[in-house]
Amino acid sequence: MKYAVCLALLFAMFSSCSSDQQFAPADNALVAAQQFLGGCLKGDFKQAANYIITDSVNTAQLGHLKDAYYHNNSDQRIEYRTANIIIKNDEVVSATEEIITYENSYDKITRKLKSVKTDQGWKVDLKYTFSGNL
Protein backbone atom coordinates (compact mmCIF):
# COMPACT_ATOMS: atom_id res chain seq x y z
CA MET A 1 0.00 0.00 0.00
CA LYS A 2 2.77 2.42 0.97
CA TYR A 3 4.61 1.56 -2.23
CA ALA A 4 1.51 2.28 -4.35
CA VAL A 5 0.96 5.67 -2.70
CA CYS A 6 4.59 6.69 -3.28
CA LEU A 7 4.42 5.50 -6.86
CA ALA A 8 1.20 7.47 -7.43
CA LEU A 9 2.75 10.62 -5.95
CA LEU A 10 5.85 10.27 -8.12
CA PHE A 11 3.71 9.76 -11.22
CA ALA A 12 1.66 12.86 -10.38
CA MET A 13 4.82 14.94 -9.89
CA PHE A 14 6.37 13.84 -13.18
CA SER A 15 3.10 14.25 -15.06
CA SER A 16 2.70 17.82 -13.87
CA CYS A 17 6.28 18.66 -14.84
CA SER A 18 5.88 17.39 -18.38
CA SER A 19 2.45 18.85 -19.13
CA ASP A 20 2.19 21.84 -21.42
CA GLN A 21 1.84 25.16 -19.69
CA GLN A 22 -1.60 26.66 -20.12
CA PHE A 23 -2.00 30.38 -20.69
CA ALA A 24 -5.14 32.26 -19.75
CA PRO A 25 -6.96 33.97 -22.63
CA ALA A 26 -6.49 37.74 -22.74
CA ASP A 27 -9.69 39.51 -21.80
CA ASN A 28 -8.64 42.84 -23.30
CA ALA A 29 -6.24 44.30 -25.85
CA LEU A 30 -3.68 45.51 -23.30
CA VAL A 31 -3.42 42.12 -21.60
CA ALA A 32 -2.85 40.44 -24.98
CA ALA A 33 -0.13 42.95 -25.85
CA GLN A 34 1.54 42.72 -22.44
CA GLN A 35 1.51 38.90 -22.40
CA PHE A 36 2.86 38.74 -25.95
CA LEU A 37 5.57 41.34 -25.29
CA GLY A 38 6.46 39.81 -21.93
CA GLY A 39 6.99 36.46 -23.63
CA CYS A 40 9.17 38.02 -26.32
CA LEU A 41 11.27 39.96 -23.82
CA LYS A 42 11.81 36.88 -21.65
CA GLY A 43 12.57 34.65 -24.63
CA ASP A 44 9.43 32.63 -23.88
CA PHE A 45 8.17 32.28 -27.44
CA LYS A 46 5.67 29.60 -26.43
CA GLN A 47 3.93 32.25 -24.32
CA ALA A 48 4.23 34.82 -27.10
CA ALA A 49 2.78 32.36 -29.63
CA ASN A 50 -0.26 31.85 -27.43
CA TYR A 51 -1.12 35.55 -27.78
CA ILE A 52 -0.88 35.93 -31.57
CA ILE A 53 -3.45 35.19 -34.23
CA THR A 54 -2.34 31.82 -35.53
CA ASP A 55 -1.77 31.99 -39.26
CA SER A 56 1.24 31.45 -41.50
CA VAL A 57 2.27 35.14 -41.67
CA ASN A 58 2.06 35.74 -37.91
CA THR A 59 3.87 32.47 -37.19
CA ALA A 60 6.65 33.44 -39.61
CA GLN A 61 6.94 36.92 -38.07
CA LEU A 62 7.18 35.39 -34.61
CA GLY A 63 9.94 33.14 -35.94
CA HIS A 64 11.85 36.23 -37.11
CA LEU A 65 11.42 37.83 -33.67
CA LYS A 66 12.74 34.66 -32.05
CA ASP A 67 15.75 34.56 -34.39
CA ALA A 68 16.49 38.23 -33.66
CA TYR A 69 16.23 37.61 -29.91
CA TYR A 70 18.72 34.75 -30.01
CA HIS A 71 21.02 36.74 -32.30
CA ASN A 72 21.60 39.06 -29.32
CA ASN A 73 24.47 38.24 -27.01
CA SER A 74 23.74 36.89 -23.52
CA ASP A 75 24.12 40.30 -21.85
CA GLN A 76 21.56 41.82 -24.21
CA ARG A 77 19.14 38.96 -23.58
CA ILE A 78 19.49 39.55 -19.83
CA GLU A 79 18.70 43.23 -20.38
CA TYR A 80 15.59 42.34 -22.40
CA ARG A 81 14.45 39.79 -19.80
CA THR A 82 14.64 42.41 -17.04
CA ALA A 83 13.13 45.24 -19.10
CA ASN A 84 9.74 46.73 -18.34
CA ILE A 85 7.01 47.27 -20.92
CA ILE A 86 5.96 50.91 -21.10
CA ILE A 87 2.56 51.54 -22.69
CA LYS A 88 2.62 54.93 -24.39
CA ASN A 89 -0.86 54.89 -25.98
CA ASP A 90 -3.86 52.63 -26.43
CA GLU A 91 -5.89 53.70 -29.46
CA VAL A 92 -9.31 52.10 -29.80
CA VAL A 93 -9.94 51.59 -33.53
CA SER A 94 -13.20 49.69 -33.05
CA ALA A 95 -14.85 47.39 -30.52
CA THR A 96 -12.62 44.58 -31.81
CA GLU A 97 -9.34 46.34 -32.67
CA GLU A 98 -6.85 48.46 -30.75
CA ILE A 99 -3.42 49.83 -31.59
CA ILE A 100 -0.99 49.71 -28.66
CA THR A 101 2.03 52.03 -28.78
CA TYR A 102 4.77 50.87 -26.43
CA GLU A 103 8.47 50.70 -25.73
CA ASN A 104 10.60 48.66 -23.37
CA SER A 105 12.88 50.16 -20.75
CA TYR A 106 16.01 48.62 -22.29
CA ASP A 107 16.12 49.81 -25.90
CA LYS A 108 13.46 52.56 -25.57
CA ILE A 109 12.36 52.20 -29.21
CA THR A 110 8.72 53.15 -29.75
CA ARG A 111 6.79 50.40 -31.52
CA LYS A 112 3.16 49.54 -32.26
CA LEU A 113 1.09 46.38 -32.02
CA LYS A 114 -2.42 45.67 -33.18
CA SER A 115 -4.64 43.65 -30.84
CA VAL A 116 -7.76 42.02 -32.24
CA LYS A 117 -10.69 40.47 -30.39
CA THR A 118 -11.20 36.84 -31.42
CA ASP A 119 -13.32 33.93 -30.23
CA GLN A 120 -10.28 32.81 -28.18
CA GLY A 121 -9.82 36.20 -26.49
CA TRP A 122 -7.73 39.16 -27.59
CA LYS A 123 -4.73 38.33 -29.78
CA VAL A 124 -1.88 40.28 -31.37
CA ASP A 125 -1.87 40.49 -35.17
CA LEU A 126 1.77 40.89 -36.21
CA LYS A 127 0.86 41.31 -39.89
CA TYR A 128 -0.11 44.87 -39.15
CA THR A 129 2.96 45.60 -37.05
CA PHE A 130 5.39 44.59 -39.79
CA SER A 131 3.39 45.65 -42.86
CA GLY A 132 3.06 49.27 -41.78
CA ASN A 133 -0.72 49.14 -42.13
CA LEU A 134 -1.44 50.17 -38.58
Side-chain angles (χ1 to χ4, degrees), residues 11-128:
F11 179 76
M13 283 189 336
F14 287 117
S15 295
S16 66
C17 291
S18 65
S19 66
D20 287 334
Q21 183 177 6
Q22 298 296 315
F23 299 101
D27 60 357
N28 65 59
L30 280 175
V31 169
Q34 289 172 325
Q35 292 298 320
F36 168 77
L37 294 169
C40 288
L41 288 173
K42 292 183 295 190
D44 185 348
F45 292 95
K46 187 179 248 186
Q47 175 182 332
N50 186 71
Y51 293 99
I52 64 169
I53 293 176
T54 307
D55 63 26
S56 61
V57 176
N58 279 324
T59 302
Q61 291 296 348
L62 183 60
H64 294 307
L65 290 173
K66 182 178 179 180
D67 291 344
Y69 180 83
Y70 286 107
H71 185 69
N72 291 318
N73 65 44
S74 62
D75 290 338
Q76 290 169 310
R77 289 194 304 267
I78 289 169
E79 291 291 341
Y80 278 117
R81 279 195 299 271
T82 60
N84 294 312
I85 301 163
I86 303 162
I87 303 298
K88 306 291 258 177
N89 190 32
D90 179 7
E91 177 187 346
V92 177
V93 176
S94 70
T96 60
E97 297 180 330
E98 294 184 28
I99 306 298
I100 313 296
T101 305
Y102 71 94
E103 62 185 42
N104 69 64
S105 60
Y106 170 55
D107 67 19
K108 297 182 175 95
I109 298 170
T110 300
R111 298 176 176 92
K112 293 184 178 189
L113 281 179
K114 184 174 189 177
S115 288
V116 178
K117 189 174 186 178
T118 72
D119 292 340
Q120 297 81 36
W122 285 83
K123 302 277 186 171
V124 170
D125 191 351
L126 293 173
K127 290 186 294 289
Y128 292 93

